[in-house]
Amino acid sequence: MDHRIHQLPHQHALNVTAPVRQPSSKSNVNFKDVLTEQTGLKISKHASERLQERNIEIDTKQWEQINDKVKEAKAKGITDSLVITEQAALLVSAKNNTVVTAMNRQEATSRIFTNINGTILMDK
């Protein structure tokens, strides 16, 4: 028995085509995905839950401003920062472009924040 591979004549070649995927008619776009796509800033699952349960709403314009400031802080060597807005305090990993956790300003007033090496104060 010959165990070598033999080339088949062209007429016997297999024609394999990849299945064609039909685009889904249903769109499951969530805010977190849109934010990441638009700004590059990601929101961790934990932070997303905290924003929701504490009714913290940050509009797209302010997310863009936060992202710009985080990029600026990263350029200055900041790896983990506290971002304070009128409504919230966010712990952000500048190194990973990820919001790690969030709390409203009232909760943040009596807290001690550790493991940060920069603070970003945001006006409106």
Side-chain angles (χ1 to χ4, degrees):
M1 181 170 185
D2 189 3
H3 294 288
R4 289 180 283 174
I5 299 174
H6 298 281
Q7 185 173 4
L8 293 175
H10 219 9
Q11 62 204 20
H12 295 292
L14 295 175
N15 288 327
V16 180
T17 58
V20 177
R21 287 190 167 185
Q22 296 297 325
S24 174
S25 62
K26 208 177 199 183
S27 177
N28 285 341
V29 177
N30 66 29
F31 177 73
K32 193 160 87 171
D33 294 336
V34 172
L35 177 67
T36 300
E37 183 180 308
Q38 293 297 316
T39 65
L41 195 62
K42 297 174 275 194
I43 302 175
S44 71
K45 181 179 178 184
H46 175 80
S48 181
E49 290 170 356
R50 297 301 166 266
L51 288 167
Q52 189 173 27
E53 72 187 27
R54 294 171 175 152
N55 295 320
I56 299 170
E57 294 182 16
I58 300 174
D59 63 26
T60 305
K61 181 180 177 185
Q62 190 164 28
W63 278 119
E64 290 172 358
Q65 292 171 337
I66 292 169
N67 184 58
D68 291 343
K69 290 297 182 183
V70 169
K71 284 181 183 177
E72 189 178 324
K74 186 176 183 176
K76 293 182 179 192
I78 304 294
T79 57
D80 297 292
S81 64
L82 173 65
V83 178
I84 300 175
T85 68
E86 276 188 346
Q87 187 182 8
L90 309 170
L91 287 173
V92 180
S93 168
K95 184 169 72 175
N96 301 325
N97 281 346
T98 303
V99 178
V100 178
T101 193
M103 62 189 73
N104 61 37
R105 282 294 298 267
Q106 291 73 32
E107 287 178 290
T109 57
S110 62
R111 303 283 177 150
I112 296 174
F113 297 93
T114 59
N115 299 327
I116 61 169
N117 60 353
T119 302
I120 300 169
L121 298 173
M122 304 284 298
D123 292 333
K124 286 191 168 193

